[in-house]
Amino acid sequence: MTSTRALPDGYCVPVHQSLTAPILLAGAPRLATIANGTLAAGLGVGLQLWGVGLVFWIIAQGICVFAARRDPQFTEVLVRHIRHRSYYEC
């Protein structure tokens, strides 16, 4: 329920959506897009496997876009998951 009282001057601050939205490039997080592009360029230019590099980029970018639609911060979660050790290993 919202209050109908008027606020004094200076107490109403608009929050723009761009301040809270994640930074995405081509629908995927910036870090993942740069990593995909770098690996694809390495395959294409370094090994001269242009077709393999293009196919790799399309598949990897598609997977990252799919994951970003579910959770835009999946790269941060993945990095944290890899860093932390499992305490209940047998």
Side-chain angles (χ1 to χ4, degrees), residues 12-36:
C12 182
V13 178
V15 177
H16 297 280
Q17 183 181 1
S18 63
L19 295 173
T20 60
I23 299 173
L24 302 177
L25 292 175
R30 199 171 133 247
L31 175 66
T33 302
I34 292 171
N36 290 338

Side-chain angles (χ1 to χ4, degrees), residues 20-71:
T20 60
I23 299 173
L24 302 177
L25 292 175
R30 199 171 133 247
L31 175 66
T33 302
I34 292 171
N36 290 338
T38 302
L39 291 173
L43 287 171
V45 175
L47 299 176
Q48 295 184 355
L49 299 172
W50 296 102
V52 174
L54 183 63
V55 169
F56 170 79
W57 183 79
I58 290 171
I59 291 172
Q61 189 69 17
I63 291 170
C64 289
V65 168
F66 174 75
R69 284 186 183 159
R70 297 191 62 150
D71 181 13

